[in-house]
């Protein structure tokens, strides 16, 4: 598991608890804490300390399958570090750019549609918020299709308590998740306050319009609701402070993955002649917030919408 944060850490921890041989590639204080104390997996049922190998470089451990769990801006460096590996590479990541990048380096690449509410706010600790099923992790080969490896990976994830099935059309599901993730930047900028959902509406509306104009096949919102059903359950009183970009600002990492979420819509908009001022504003402002060390909630929803209106009037 290359990247052991909110998603990668939860999946690695549960796979190890299910008896699978798992090693994680981590860095900094998180790596030091896992090496010293183990990985603490916090779940509604309680905390479990999972002992597993933790290394700083993927060359320091045996690999049969590599799962990329880092944010998209760190994928390029990870792919270089993995040169020489000839097994399957699994993109347990949001966005839609990682699989294409990985396919330049590796012949067998798999995408995962990640529905896993998790948190990583302190070294050595990751939190899974839903129970008894922590997440839905459908997967498929990139660019399309399924095979015996996809089926085996799905079985392994199921053995660790996740819901997972192979999907030959995995990218249309990942594009639906991309649309849902477009609001991450707005949530990070404004915090989880009244009005944040309304402030995120323009970025999602632009995303829908751009993907439609580009002719990209996207799983519908109705399909997504049907797939989720009542699988993901949040025990009473359990919640998380914010999504992945909110957590990046809260931890002061200095980076967010908005270039690969909102930036994906901006890129497609420019390629197809569709204006995307809301997504460009969200991308630009949250990147600035990350670089400056701003905390979540540095602006109000009204201030964000005002910035969008100014960008719209500028013709961006």
């Amino acid at each position: 598991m290359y990247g052991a944060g909110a998603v990668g850490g939860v999946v690695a921890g549960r796979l190890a608890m299910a008896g699978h041989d798992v090693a994680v590639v981590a860095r900094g204080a998180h790596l030091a804490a896992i090496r010293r104390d183990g990985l603490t997996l916090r779940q509604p049922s309680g905390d479990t300390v999972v002992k597993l190998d933790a290394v700083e470089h993927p060359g320091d451990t045996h690999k049969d399958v590599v799962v990329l769990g880092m944010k998209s801006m760190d994928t390029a460096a990870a792919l270089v570090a993995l040169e020489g590996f000839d097994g399957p590479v699994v993109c347990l990541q949001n966005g839609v750019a990682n699989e294409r990048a990985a396919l330049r380096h590796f012949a067998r690449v798999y995408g995962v549609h990640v529905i896993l509410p998790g948190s990583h706010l302190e070294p050595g600790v990751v939190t899974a918020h839903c129970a008894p099923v922590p997440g839905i992790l459908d997967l498929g080969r990139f660019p399309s299709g399924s095979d015996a490896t996809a089926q085996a990976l799905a079985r392994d994830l199921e053995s660790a308590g996740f819901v997972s099935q192979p999907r030959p059309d995995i990218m249309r599901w990942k594009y639906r998740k991309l649309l849902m993730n477009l609001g991450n930047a707005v949530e990070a900028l404004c915090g989880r306050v009244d009005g944040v959902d309304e402030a995120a509406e323009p970025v999602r509306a632009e995303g829908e319009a751009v993907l439609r104009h580009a002719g990209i096949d996207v799983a519908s919102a109705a399909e997504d609701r049907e797939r989720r059903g009542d699988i993901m359950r949040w025990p009473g009183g359990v919640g998380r402070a914010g999504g992945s970009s909110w957590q990046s600002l809260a931890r002061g990492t200095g980076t967010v993955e908005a270039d690969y979420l909102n930036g994906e819509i901006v890129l497609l908009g420019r390629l197809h002649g569709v204006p995307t001022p809301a997504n460009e504003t969200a991308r630009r402002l949250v990147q600035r917030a990350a670089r400056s060390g701003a905390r979540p909630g540095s602006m109000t929803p009204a201030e964000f919408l005002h910035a969008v209106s100014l960008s719209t009037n500028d013709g961006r």
Side-chain angles (χ1 to χ4, degrees), residues 102-123:
L103 200 63
R104 294 179 185 272
H105 296 254
F106 307 101
R108 289 185 290 161
V109 175
Y110 300 80
V112 183
H113 177 215
V114 179
I115 307 173
L116 199 170
S119 298
H120 169 49
L121 294 172
E122 59 182 295

Side-chain angles (χ1 to χ4, degrees), residues 4-275:
V7 173
V10 169
V11 174
R14 290 197 59 113
L15 283 169
M17 289 169 60
H20 297 280
D21 184 13
V22 181
V24 298
V25 180
R27 59 190 177 186
H30 192 42
L31 171 62
I34 297 171
R35 283 176 165 172
R36 182 182 63 248
D37 303 319
L39 177 69
T40 297
L41 176 57
R42 189 157 289 161
Q43 302 180 99
S45 59
D47 291 2
T48 302
V49 176
V50 184
K51 297 292 186 179
L52 36 68
D53 289 338
V55 299
E56 190 170 11
H57 189 278
D60 297 334
T61 186
H62 172 73
K63 302 173 289 296
D64 292 313
V65 176
V66 171
V67 182
L68 302 181
M70 73 287 296
K71 290 189 171 63
S72 300
M73 61 277 193
D74 296 322
T75 295
L79 295 174
V80 172
L82 286 166
E83 285 293 350
F85 176 66
D86 61 359
V89 173
V90 181
C91 297
L92 183 74
Q93 299 163 289
N94 285 326
V96 294
N98 299 292
E99 289 81 4
R100 182 179 173 88
L103 200 63
R104 294 179 185 272
H105 296 254
F106 307 101
R108 289 185 290 161
V109 175
Y110 300 80
V112 183
H113 177 215
V114 179
I115 307 173
L116 199 170
S119 298
H120 169 49
L121 294 172
E122 59 182 295
V125 181
V126 294
T127 302
H129 294 283
C130 290
V133 176
I136 303 172
L137 301 173
D138 293 341
L139 56 92
R141 189 155 181 172
F142 179 80
S144 63
S146 185
D147 57 19
T149 298
Q151 294 166 8
L153 291 168
R155 287 194 298 270
D156 289 344
L157 291 168
E158 291 261 354
S159 75
F162 299 98
V163 169
S164 179
Q165 67 181 50
R167 288 190 178 276
D169 58 347
I170 193 62
M171 293 311 294
R172 66 189 297 270
W173 293 86
K174 294 203 68 169
Y175 273 103
R176 171 51 53 186
K177 182 67 185 301
L178 171 66
L179 290 171
M180 299 175 72
N181 286 144
L182 295 179
N184 289 11
V186 183
E187 180 195 59
L189 289 166
C190 303
R192 293 171 67 87
V193 298
D194 290 342
V196 69
D197 290 337
E198 291 77 8
E201 285 179 3
V203 300
R204 295 195 175 108
E206 279 182 2
E208 294 272 9
V210 166
L211 295 184
R212 184 170 56 252
H213 192 90
I216 294 174
D217 189 13
V218 184
S220 69
E223 287 178 290
D224 183 77
R225 286 193 299 271
E226 182 179 2
R227 178 59 180 130
R228 292 170 185 257
D230 62 354
I231 294 172
M232 306 302 296
R233 300 179 183 179
W234 296 70
V238 176
R240 65 173 176 173
S244 59
S245 295
W246 186 100
Q247 293 174 44
S248 292
L249 291 191
R251 296 204 314 274
T253 62
T255 60
V256 288
E257 61 181 339
D259 286 352
Y260 295 90
L261 301 176
N262 306 92
E264 184 72 29
I265 297 303
V266 173
L267 170 62
L268 287 169
R270 289 170 176 166
L271 288 172
H272 294 276
V274 181

